[in-house]
Amino acid sequence: MPELGLLLRRWLLGLALLAGLPVQAQRLPQPSAHVTGDDAVPAELATSTWTRAQLDAWWAALRHHTVTGADRLSLPSELLPPAASTAWQPVAMPDVRSRPGAAMVTDARGYQMRWYRLHVPGGHDESMALYLPRLVTLSAAVLARTERGWQLLLDNQHAEREQWVQPIWLPLPGAGAQGLDLVVALPVPAGSYHSVSRIWIGPRDTLEKRWLWRVRAQTGLPQAVSLTLAVLGLFALTLWLRRPGEAIYGLFALGAAAWVVRNLHYYVGLPASPVALDWFWWATHASMGWVMLSALLFALRFADWRLKRLEWALTASVLVVSLLSMPLWLRRLDMVVLQYVVTAAVAAVGTGWLAFLAWRERRTELRIMAAALLAGVLIGGHDLAVLAGWAWPEHVFLMPFATLIVMISFLHAVQRRYVGAVEQVKAENSQLQEDLEEQVSVLQMQNAQLREAERQQALLLERQRIMADMHDGLGSSLLSALVAMEQGSMSHEQCVEVLRECVDDLRLVIDSLEPVGHDLVSLLATMRYRLGKRLQTGGLKLEWDVQDLPPLPWLEPPDALHVLRLMQEALNNVLKHAQASRVRMVTRHHGSYVEIRVEDDGAGFDLETIQHGRGLKSQIKRAQRLGGKLRIDSSPGSGTRLSLRLPVERRAQP
């Protein structure tokens, strides 16, 4: 096991070497030649072995001194820095003890008070300050040696829980001509991990800038990154809830939530209960594995080739170490190091596979994400070395910087996917538009051909109708007259009458083709104009009682010819058979239908005894074709009335 731990440590140190190169710029600036005391001062170390009771008495005395404001610190000699000069030895700073194998150190092992003695040279006119960049111990205190005894300058008990991320900054009183002796008191559990960086004493203005920079880099940046990721994570969560099939948004939201948990200690006060504190630190440390896992799964979603077994193995590794590191069991192992070692292994394996896919598929977004995750792995190795005390004890944790790099690479990948999807949609829409225009052109051509075919068909049907009508009416009459004239059975007057009827019939056919705009009254007026002279010659007086009628939408030329034929037949019957002196044309509108009546004052006839000839049957058939009804009322000596009822709105005929 020691050999394995040594190999693992060397591997992580080598992995973090590249990350350590750029962060050398984070080393505190070297002193200027013209500024006295602008460098880490030499320190001497003395140690005292204490019990828990002595440590509590020390802290209580510091609190009492802070409240009372006494001019010197009242403590027994065993709780004060050693007075013997032999107890003090020079110490190389930074002073670091790596994390031990045991995760917990109990009170039974006691505590060690580590005293670091410093001397501030006298003769400085400018204000001086003490600056301690990084400190991982119990609460720090700073004492000053005066003529009246030890004076308390700093009691950091109120900020002990944040001390590991909050650098110590302390303005110093005037050193006078003889200078000032300071002691930095740092208690630690015996045999436990501790880290004390170099202690800087110099001009206040110079060190204050360094302290502010450290606070911003060590606390401000993680808070800003966490807030940014929290906002982006909420946005990604809303996208994932609306589109559950897009796993990348859910993974991004999971990674953002895990990162917020990882950095809770930067903006949330630590729990006071020891049990709650254990669970708090477990959550913040374990969440780092889920950050890395979600980042890897997110990046792998952009690859065409996925190895699901590897993804399940990485997920299982993070899940198992999260369960094992709970503060419930295996408390003798250093779970913090174990958590980050497994996280580093998961990150290294996943990043290596992603780099292989990026090289294999030659995709820009995969290469950028692989490079960003590789930088994250190296920076994670650096932070693990700092956390475990293996190297770079004065460096700040760099994972917030790595998170920014990875987040930018992820946003770039999402942006490329979004732009690619938009371009694909545009291309598909363009293709669909071209296809649509092509189909529209085809349909327009087909519609033009269909309209032409319909027009030709309509012309053919109309021609056939007119020919059939002329054949049955005009043609039949002319043929009969021709045969009769050849046989000598028709007089001159009869021939003239037949020819007049043929001319009237021809005029009716022509009139039916004229556009009347579905106006039945106009159609009847045209017939009156055509037949009025003939009626007058036949000795009939025409009474015109025609009222306005609504348009008949269905009244087309074929229907108009039927109406004219019916009216012509009725008037011809009056001329030939009724022996009437007067004929009356009447129109009425009865709501859903209109009525046309032809009334005469002729001899009339008996409807029950008269035989229905071909003319009457033809009239009834025409009325049926019009969708109307034909009625004839007559009696001997009382004249005849023919009534044609036509619907205003006619149903489409099959």
Side-chain angles (χ1 to χ4, degrees):
M1 289 297 292
E3 293 79 4
L4 180 60
L6 181 60
L7 289 175
L8 180 61
R9 182 180 303 182
R10 289 178 178 177
W11 177 76
L12 289 173
L13 286 174
L15 192 64
L17 180 60
L18 184 59
L21 293 177
V23 298
Q24 294 302 318
Q26 297 183 62
R27 295 183 60 188
L28 296 175
Q30 295 301 312
S32 303
H34 62 279
V35 180
T36 305
D38 187 24
D39 199 356
V41 297
E44 294 179 315
L45 173 66
T47 60
S48 302
T49 302
W50 284 1
T51 63
R52 180 68 192 191
Q54 289 175 310
L55 182 61
D56 290 339
W58 161 263
W59 283 335
L62 296 185
R63 292 192 296 269
H64 178 73
H65 181 82
T66 302
V67 172
T68 59
D71 56 356
R72 68 184 185 88
L73 190 61
S74 177
L75 280 173
S77 58
E78 67 269 12
L79 298 183
L80 290 174
S85 59
T86 56
W88 298 91
Q89 299 295 329
V91 59
M93 304 298 286
D95 182 18
V96 180
R97 177 185 174 90
S98 301
R99 289 184 178 270
M104 296 183 62
V105 178
T106 62
D107 291 340
R109 300 186 61 178
Y111 294 85
Q112 184 185 69
M113 173 61 79
R114 302 180 68 82
W115 312 93
Y116 295 87
R117 188 169 66 181
L118 314 165
H119 179 71
V120 182
H124 295 287
D125 295 333
E126 56 187 332
S127 178
M128 305 292 285
L130 178 146
Y131 169 52
L132 207 162
R134 187 165 183 269
L135 187 61
V136 184
T137 62
L138 300 179
S139 62
V142 179
L143 310 179
R145 181 76 175 184
T146 65
E147 295 179 354
R148 292 182 296 273
W150 291 101
Q151 178 69 33
L152 179 64
L153 300 182
L154 172 68
D155 177 16
N156 207 40
Q157 292 184 62
H158 67 283
E160 177 185 351
R161 295 173 180 173
E162 295 82 22
Q163 182 174 271
W164 67 284
V165 291
Q166 291 288 350
I168 301 297
W169 162 254
L170 176 64
L172 296 177
Q178 298 180 352
L180 181 66
D181 289 328
L182 300 177
V183 171
V184 180
L186 302 174
V188 297
S192 71
Y193 161 72
H194 66 267
S195 178
V196 182
S197 67
R198 288 175 294 174
I199 304 175
W200 298 73
I201 294 178
R204 177 172 178 172
D205 293 342
T206 301
L207 294 183
E208 186 173 16
K209 294 178 182 178
R210 302 175 184 176
W211 170 69
L212 289 175
W213 175 89
R214 185 89 181 195
V215 169
R216 290 165 185 162
Q218 201 161 264
T219 304
L221 179 63
Q223 291 175 344
V225 173
S226 297
L227 178 61
T228 303
L229 272 181
V231 174
L232 292 176
L234 287 175
F235 178 69
L237 180 62
T238 58
L239 292 179
W240 179 69
L241 291 176
R242 295 191 59 166
R243 303 183 64 182
E246 294 287 345
I248 58 172
Y249 300 120
L251 291 171
F252 191 95
L254 174 62
W259 181 254
V260 171
V261 175
R262 169 69 183 87
N263 292 292
L264 278 176
H265 52 272
Y266 285 111
Y267 43 85
V268 173
L270 302 183
S273 168
V275 176
L277 185 63
D278 288 341
W279 283 100
F280 180 88
W281 284 122
W282 168 81
T284 56
H285 291 308
S287 59
M288 191 61 212
W290 294 100
V291 171
M292 184 56 66
L293 176 65
S294 59
L296 289 172
L297 295 180
F298 176 93
L300 291 174
R301 287 299 187 282
F302 287 83
D304 294 332
W305 186 22
R306 291 180 56 192
L307 192 60
K308 292 189 177 181
R309 291 185 178 180
L310 176 62
E311 296 178 12
W312 281 110
L314 297 178
T315 305
S317 300
V318 174
L319 179 61
V320 169
V321 76
S322 298
L323 295 175
L324 289 178
S325 59
M326 286 182 175
L328 298 174
W329 40 68
L330 303 178
R331 300 179 66 88
R332 300 301 298 174
L333 296 178
D334 194 342
M335 289 301 176
V336 174
V337 176
L338 175 63
Q339 286 173 322
Y340 285 101
V341 166
V342 173
T343 300
V346 168
V349 173
T351 304
W353 175 247
L354 181 65
F356 169 75
L357 293 178
W359 171 81
R360 183 174 184 268
E361 298 182 8
R362 302 184 183 278
R363 298 176 60 179
T364 303
E365 60 270 23
L366 281 179
R367 292 179 177 180
I368 293 177
M369 287 190 291
L373 288 173
L374 178 59
V377 170
L378 297 177
I379 291 175
H382 163 270
D383 285 3
L384 177 57
V386 174
L387 177 69
W390 297 343
W392 307 302
E394 293 185 347
H395 286 187
V396 298
F397 292 106
L398 300 178
M399 279 308 296
F401 297 93
T403 304
L404 280 176
I405 296 173
V406 174
M407 179 179 65
I408 292 173
S409 71
F410 285 2
L411 293 177
H412 173 263
V414 172
Q415 183 263 349
R416 281 183 62 89
R417 169 174 282 196
Y418 174 76
V419 171
V422 170
E423 293 297 332
Q424 182 180 359
V425 170
K426 286 183 178 179
E428 292 177 352
N429 287 341
S430 178
Q431 184 62 40
L432 288 174
Q433 183 66 26
E434 293 179 1
D435 296 342
L436 180 59
E437 291 176 355
E438 182 179 355
Q439 292 297 325
V440 168
S441 299
V442 172
L443 289 175
Q444 288 177 346
M445 183 175 63
Q446 292 177 349
N447 287 336
Q449 294 174 352
L450 182 60
R451 286 195 299 270
E452 180 62 21
E454 289 177 348
R455 190 179 70 85
Q456 295 294 335
Q457 181 70 15
L459 290 175
L460 178 61
L461 293 176
E462 189 68 14
R463 188 179 297 112
Q464 291 176 349
R465 182 186 66 80
I466 294 174
M467 293 299 295
D469 230 5
M470 293 181 67
H471 179 270
D472 295 340
L474 180 61
S476 178
S477 298
L478 289 175
L479 183 60
S480 299
L482 178 61
V483 172
M485 290 295 292
E486 289 177 346
Q487 294 176 355
S489 59
M490 179 178 289
S491 64
H492 175 73
E493 291 78 8
Q494 290 175 333
C495 181
V496 171
E497 181 66 22
V498 170
L499 291 177
R500 185 179 288 111
E501 290 179 0
C502 289
V503 171
D504 292 340
D505 191 71
L506 181 60
R507 287 174 176 173
L508 286 178
V509 173
I510 295 173
D511 290 340
S512 69
L513 298 177
E514 292 293 330
V516 294
H518 312 293
D519 188 357
L520 187 58
V521 174
S522 298
L523 185 66
L524 296 176
T526 301
M527 186 191 70
R528 176 188 179 186
Y529 172 76
R530 297 293 188 189
L531 301 180
K533 188 175 181 181
R534 183 181 175 194
L535 295 176
Q536 186 177 3
T537 303
L540 281 176
K541 180 182 179 181
L542 177 62
E543 295 181 1
W544 192 258
D545 186 9
V546 174
Q547 297 181 0
D548 288 338
L549 299 176
L552 303 181
W554 50 267
L555 188 61
E556 298 294 340
D559 304 308
L561 184 58
H562 286 311
V563 174
L564 293 176
R565 291 283 192 197
L566 280 168
M567 296 300 101
Q568 181 191 33
E569 184 71 19
L571 293 175
N572 284 338
N573 288 336
V574 173
L575 281 172
K576 293 180 179 180
H577 310 295
Q579 301 175 7
S581 61
R582 180 178 56 82
V583 64
R584 185 167 176 254
M585 180 73 70
V586 182
T587 61
R588 293 291 184 269
H589 179 211
H590 299 287
S592 61
Y593 67 92
V594 296
E595 182 183 19
I596 307 173
R597 295 199 304 270
V598 178
E599 302 174 349
D600 66 72
D601 59 353
F605 56 89
D606 188 355
L607 290 175
E608 296 181 357
T609 60
I610 192 173
Q611 294 182 354
H612 292 258
R614 190 172 66 177
L616 183 57
K617 293 181 179 180
S618 176
Q619 286 181 309
I620 295 174
K621 187 175 181 180
R622 289 182 186 277
Q624 291 175 348
R625 289 180 179 177
L626 292 170
K629 295 181 180 180
L630 183 68
R631 180 175 178 179
I632 299 176
D633 296 317
S634 182
S635 60
S638 299
T640 302
R641 184 175 67 177
L642 180 143
S643 173
L644 174 63
R645 294 182 178 182
L646 300 174
V648 176
E649 298 288 341
R650 189 176 70 180
R651 294 181 181 180
Q653 296 183 2

